[in-house]
Amino acid sequence: MSTDGFSEQERAAMKARAEELRKEAAGGRGRKAATDELDVLSKIAEMEAADRAVAERVHAVVTANAPELAPKLWYGQPAYARKGKVVCFFRSGHTDKERYSTFGFTPEANLDDGGLWATSFAVNGLDDTSEAVLAALVKKAVS
């Protein structure tokens, strides 16, 4: 176990989350959902090209299949929330210095399926089949 503290990426994520919380507090409940979505789209636009292409498709799949989820930033990355609580999220592999990006679900997602179910997936591209799987999971998560 390392005693060096948090990595540079962990510190950046915590700083981003703290800024998100400050913005939410300053904006109060009246903050427009459109502003949150613009924040998400801006974050996606900043991503490295391969991650950006995947994140754009993920955003399209989630917003089309679960319009009740509101886009927002979560730890500096795109996420989708119901009543303010994040249900699913996308993590850029390039930002996290990993070889693949991740699409995941929080405990707010209704994915429970017996004693074992997946809560996150490695993503380095989406074809029609994987998009269909993602769409089905997102629909189940909000059911």
Side-chain angles (χ1 to χ4, degrees), residues 66-79:
E68 64 270 37
L69 294 182
K72 67 182 277 179
L73 291 177
W74 191 53
Y75 295 98
Q77 295 290 316

Side-chain angles (χ1 to χ4, degrees), residues 43-57:
K43 180 55 73 175
I44 290 171
E46 294 171 4
M47 292 179 183
E48 179 267 330
D51 285 353
R52 182 174 56 247
V54 173
E56 287 170 347
R57 288 185 81 179

Side-chain angles (χ1 to χ4, degrees), residues 7-140:
S7 72
E8 184 179 326
Q9 294 83 9
E10 290 168 326
R11 285 191 301 276
M14 288 185 290
K15 185 177 178 181
R17 182 64 180 142
E19 181 60 27
E20 292 160 14
L21 292 171
R22 276 192 289 280
K23 285 171 82 175
E24 287 175 12
R29 294 206 179 263
R31 184 174 176 184
K32 301 218 180 256
T35 302
D36 287 337
E37 185 163 14
L38 284 175
D39 289 344
V40 167
L41 294 173
S42 293
K43 180 55 73 175
I44 290 171
E46 294 171 4
M47 292 179 183
E48 179 267 330
D51 285 353
R52 182 174 56 247
V54 173
E56 287 170 347
R57 288 185 81 179
V58 164
H59 181 76
V61 169
V62 173
T63 56
N65 289 281
E68 64 270 37
L69 294 182
K72 67 182 277 179
L73 291 177
W74 191 53
Y75 295 98
Q77 295 290 316
Y80 305 87
R82 176 178 43 215
K83 296 181 183 173
K85 294 186 178 188
V86 171
V87 174
C88 56
F89 58 90
F90 178 83
R91 297 280 316 165
S92 163
H94 183 75
T95 299
D96 289 344
K97 298 187 181 195
E98 299 290 343
R99 65 183 178 92
Y100 54 82
S101 295
T102 306
F103 183 80
F105 296 92
T106 70
E108 295 298 318
N110 297 320
L111 295 178
D112 304 35
D113 189 18
L116 177 71
W117 60 92
T119 60
S120 67
F121 299 86
V123 184
N124 64 8
L126 289 175
D127 59 17
D128 291 342
T129 302
S130 55
E131 260 189 44
V133 169
L134 180 62
L137 285 168
V138 169
K139 286 178 184 177
K140 181 175 182 181

